Amino acid sequence: MSSAIEVKSAAKTNPNINLTLPDSAEKEGSLKTKFSIKNLSAWFGNQQAIRAISMDISEKQVTAIIGPSGCGKSTFIRCLNRMHELVPGTQVEGLVKFDGYNIYDKGVDPVLLRRRVGMVFQKPNPFPTMSVRENVLAGLKLTKSEQIKRAPETVERALQQAALWREVRDRLDEPGAGLSGGQQQRLCIARALAVEPDVLLMDEPCSALDPIATARIEDLIHGLAESYTIIIVTHNMQQAARVSNRTAFFLLGELVEFGKTNQLFTAPKDKRTEDYITGKFG
Amino acid sequence: MRRTEKSKRATSFRERLVEFGLLGSGVLSIFTTVAILTVLAFETVGFFQEVTFAEFFGDTQWTPLFSDKHFGIWPLIGGTFLTSLIAVAVALPLGLLAAVYLSEFARESVRKAVKPALEVLAGVPTIVYGYFALVFITPLLQKFIPGLAGFNALSPGIVMGIMIIPMISSLSEDALHAVPATLKEGSYALGAGRLATIFRVTIPSAFSGIVASVILATSRAIGETMIVAIAAGQQPRLTLDPRVPIETMTAYIVQISLGDTPTGTIEYKTIFVVGASLFAITFVMNILSQRIARRFRGKI
């Protein structure tokens, strides 16, 4: 906690970590890099979960991470907002540049990083003691953001972005845990969007949902990609094919192949990718 | 054929014997409770045939042993609540801080060692606590607080507080520990710091469990007998001043029970009416804590 104050001042003076987005969206072909990852490895105790991953993730694109269980997908995205280190006994090595700035530098406060790199989890986890409205505003309250002054606008905007506004506009003061599973997950997305991050990490966001709720979230991801960089971990290859621009295939903690989603699914370069997507294992 | 039938009959007899034994022990404990309640009720009714409700709840003096008898229960209730309040005021912050430390900050090895060590506090015989209050805490406090009598509400209150710390810390820690990790992660992922997560997500999620632990600890303090009987004095007095001798409901019962009060007299009946009042208070608090705890289980 002691480094929080130092870093707050560093964030003010260091241009690399300023909180505004560039105005113009890049055109296809000349995409700006959001995350540049070099030789990223991570451990749980002695167990190595990911091995020397290197990849660049483009801004305002949907990047899907696929692979069998235990291949390090979740660990990988949890390294991008430094959630991995919250588990005791874990370790990370390598370089993760976010907008050109290494997030594992000594001066970086993970708390500030996580305000720009939001996350949606596998199981919907709305705060049970809070209403729908309070859940959406939770991030602003927890971080004592100035933006809380525009709370009503923020609630409406975030819920609309999460395609939940019409369903809950009359129930804003009811408990967030009282919504259906799919609605809860969209509430969690709204909660993540309310703090206006640049990036949204999604860790198998549909695995606890039925097909209809899944379809709604997938639609939502398409819309969100216009303004956010989205990285989605998924078990479901069809889902990766439907929602993503680029796909990375992980196996046993290694990045096997990374490329345009079309190309990876139709003409994989690596034999292991081909075996996986044609259902020979996994 | 005959042999198996015989052994079958033997088995069924043994099973019935066991069943009967289990039923018997169940019934016995229910019977004991009912018997206690009956005796309490019987003597309480007897008491109220001689003393009116108006006097019991309206008078502010409790002097059944004097020639000028008064039967106002409030000095005893006041004494009980004063010492309990002091105990909770000591135990609540310390117990909660210990619970938060153990569940959120301590390493697993520390948690595993400290939690049972704290629970030992609850296992110390209360007579030891009583003399600890009388011969150690009171003289210590007298150095700082002028006018503190040798018997007072403050010292046993503090010591009772120490005694109930583990009830609050242990049960609250259980409640905090039961908050799903996914909720804490949700908070961290929004860019919340550790303290914001603890105070705005973890503690609110465990709130009903914490409240239940506090109510349980409070009713333990209300029912506590030895410490107050030894260190608080035996002067029923309706006061908020923690420096002077008072008497709690439990201490009064001890005082009369140890004396040579003849059965059937009004003095004798007072201990039952005080007991019944005490029972009513702790009963209500236990029900309250159970209700809250049930709501808490439903949530998580």
Side-chain angles (χ1 to χ4, degrees):
Chain A
M1 294 307 291
S2 64
S3 65
I5 299 153
E6 296 164 34
V7 176
K8 255 180 206 157
S9 56
K12 266 180 204 147
T13 51
N14 194 320
N16 290 324
I17 202 162
N18 86 47
L19 292 152
T20 53
L21 277 168
D23 306 324
S24 57
E26 303 287 323
K27 290 188 195 86
E28 183 81 40
S30 61
L31 292 165
K32 209 174 147 242
T33 300
K34 196 73 188 173
F35 276 109
S36 179
I37 297 135
K38 296 253 151 55
N39 281 321
L40 181 69
S41 297
W43 290 261
F44 289 97
N46 293 324
Q47 184 105 28
Q48 188 164 7
I50 54 174
R51 297 164 192 279
I53 308 276
S54 295
M55 64 193 278
D56 284 350
I57 291 170
S58 310
E59 187 173 79
K60 294 184 184 171
Q61 294 275 299
V62 180
T63 304
I65 317 278
I66 61 167
S69 299
C71 70
K73 312 182 289 275
S74 294
T75 307
F76 172 71
I77 67 163
R78 290 168 66 94
C79 287
L80 301 184
N81 65 346
R82 293 187 60 176
M83 291 285 284
H84 179 65
E85 67 201 42
L86 291 177
V87 181
T90 52
Q91 204 191 320
V92 179
E93 231 172 59
L95 196 67
V96 178
K97 280 192 171 168
F98 172 59
D99 283 346
Y101 193 84
N102 182 15
I103 64 169
Y104 283 97
D105 263 355
K106 258 194 203 133
V108 173
D109 183 354
V111 166
L112 293 176
L113 170 73
R114 290 182 203 128
R115 289 178 200 173
R116 297 185 59 194
V117 184
M119 189 163 202
V120 176
F121 297 84
Q122 202 164 347
K123 227 181 112 202
N125 58 350
F127 298 126
T129 53
M130 299 184 194
S131 67
V132 171
R133 185 201 312 275
E134 287 165 335
N135 260 290
V136 176
L137 294 173
L140 304 181
K141 280 190 188 147
L142 286 165
T143 58
K144 298 202 176 77
S145 165
E146 283 289 301
Q147 214 189 312
I148 198 79
K149 287 174 192 151
R150 299 194 307 274
E153 294 85 5
T154 306
V155 170
E156 186 172 344
R157 173 187 62 78
L159 285 171
Q160 251 160 5
Q161 280 182 310
L164 190 60
W165 173 248
R166 277 193 306 155
E167 289 160 63
V168 300
R169 68 210 279 182
D170 302 321
R171 313 202 265 160
L172 291 177
D173 293 309
E174 286 173 31
L179 302 177
S180 74
Q183 288 174 329
Q184 285 188 20
Q185 192 61 301
R186 278 179 282 147
L187 178 60
C188 293
I189 294 174
R191 181 176 74 183
L193 295 176
V195 296
E196 297 183 358
D198 300 0
V199 179
L200 201 54
L201 306 174
M202 305 178 107
D203 189 355
E204 301 195 36
C206 303
S207 64
L209 304 182
D210 64 60
I212 294 169
T214 301
R216 301 206 62 157
I217 304 254
E218 287 181 5
D219 284 347
L220 185 58
I221 292 171
H222 275 297
L224 291 175
E226 285 171 19
S227 23
Y228 298 92
T229 305
I230 295 177
I231 303 169
I232 176 171
V233 165
T234 175
H235 237 87
N236 179 327
M237 281 178 281
Q238 285 78 23
Q239 181 171 67
R242 283 193 297 265
V243 301
S244 69
N245 307 96
R246 303 183 120 231
T247 298
F249 172 56
F250 276 49
L251 186 62
L252 300 172
E254 280 172 39
L255 175 63
V256 174
E257 188 167 349
F258 179 40
K260 287 216 170 82
T261 299
N262 280 341
Q263 175 254 310
L264 187 128
F265 279 104
T266 53
K269 289 182 187 126
D270 195 290
K271 180 77 173 66
R272 289 170 295 175
T273 314
E274 191 182 329
D275 287 350
Y276 182 69
I277 61 176
T278 54
K280 283 198 181 133
F281 73 98
Chain B
M1 268 326 255
R2 272 182 62 190
R3 249 181 91 177
T4 49
E5 229 162 71
K6 205 173 170 187
S7 74
K8 230 186 217 169
R9 219 178 302 148
T11 316
S12 94
F13 175 73
R14 268 212 307 273
E15 274 184 11
R16 238 188 282 162
L17 198 71
V18 169
E19 205 180 308
F20 186 76
L22 293 174
L23 181 75
S25 26
V27 168
L28 189 69
S29 67
I30 294 173
F31 175 76
T32 314
T33 313
V34 172
I36 290 173
L37 284 178
T38 312
V39 172
L40 272 183
F42 183 76
E43 298 289 351
T44 302
V45 169
F47 174 82
F48 280 116
Q49 277 163 356
E50 293 178 52
V51 178
T52 60
F53 270 111
E55 193 183 350
F56 189 66
F57 290 111
D59 204 329
T60 56
Q61 280 182 303
W62 178 262
T63 55
L65 302 180
F66 294 2
S67 52
D68 175 24
K69 293 186 193 310
H70 286 276
F71 296 98
I73 187 71
W74 293 113
L76 294 185
I77 291 186
T80 295
F81 273 88
L82 183 59
T83 48
S84 302
L85 209 70
I86 294 168
V88 172
V90 170
L92 187 65
L94 291 177
L96 272 189
L97 287 176
V100 169
Y101 169 74
L102 286 178
S103 85
E104 302 296 322
F105 291 92
R107 274 178 299 139
E108 190 61 23
S109 53
V110 175
R111 196 175 79 90
K112 280 205 172 125
V114 171
K115 213 180 161 193
L118 255 177
E119 280 161 9
V120 167
L121 275 182
V124 175
T126 52
I127 184 99
V128 175
Y129 275 123
Y131 278 100
F132 178 64
L134 183 64
V135 304
F136 182 73
I137 298 289
T138 299
L140 189 72
L141 289 175
Q142 275 171 332
K143 286 183 188 152
F144 308 103
I145 306 172
L148 187 72
F151 293 105
N152 56 71
L154 185 61
S155 166
I158 291 173
V159 171
M160 277 206 299
I162 294 169
M163 180 187 73
I164 61 174
I165 284 175
M167 293 192 78
I168 293 182
S169 68
S170 194
L171 294 175
S172 298
E173 200 272 337
D174 288 344
L176 289 170
H177 207 70
V179 174
T182 54
L183 287 183
K184 298 179 202 172
E185 287 199 330
S187 172
Y188 286 123
L190 289 169
R194 203 169 181 185
L195 286 178
T197 301
I198 290 170
F199 284 104
R200 310 197 75 151
V201 175
T202 316
I203 291 181
S205 301
F207 192 69
S208 30
I210 293 171
V211 171
S213 82
V214 172
I215 292 179
L216 220 57
T218 308
S219 72
R220 176 81 177 77
I222 289 174
E224 171 48 36
T225 308
M226 243 348 149
I227 300 175
V228 282
I230 292 170
Q234 295 183 334
Q235 299 178 20
R237 190 196 306 256
L238 192 55
T239 177
L240 285 174
D241 186 352
R243 295 172 306 170
V244 294
I246 49 103
E247 182 161 49
T248 66
M249 303 166 88
T250 49
Y252 174 76
I253 296 174
V254 172
Q255 183 192 358
I256 299 298
S257 309
L258 293 179
D260 46 3
T261 316
T263 312
T265 59
I266 185 73
E267 292 88 342
Y268 174 80
K269 285 170 185 162
T270 56
I271 64 178
F272 290 93
V273 77
V274 171
S277 313
L278 194 59
F279 176 78
I281 293 172
T282 47
F283 184 68
V284 166
M285 297 202 73
N286 280 356
I287 287 191
L288 218 65
S289 97
Q290 266 175 24
R291 282 236 171 125
I292 293 170
R294 206 178 308 143
R295 217 186 77 200
F296 157 73
R297 270 200 296 276
K299 224 174 224 169
I300 299 219

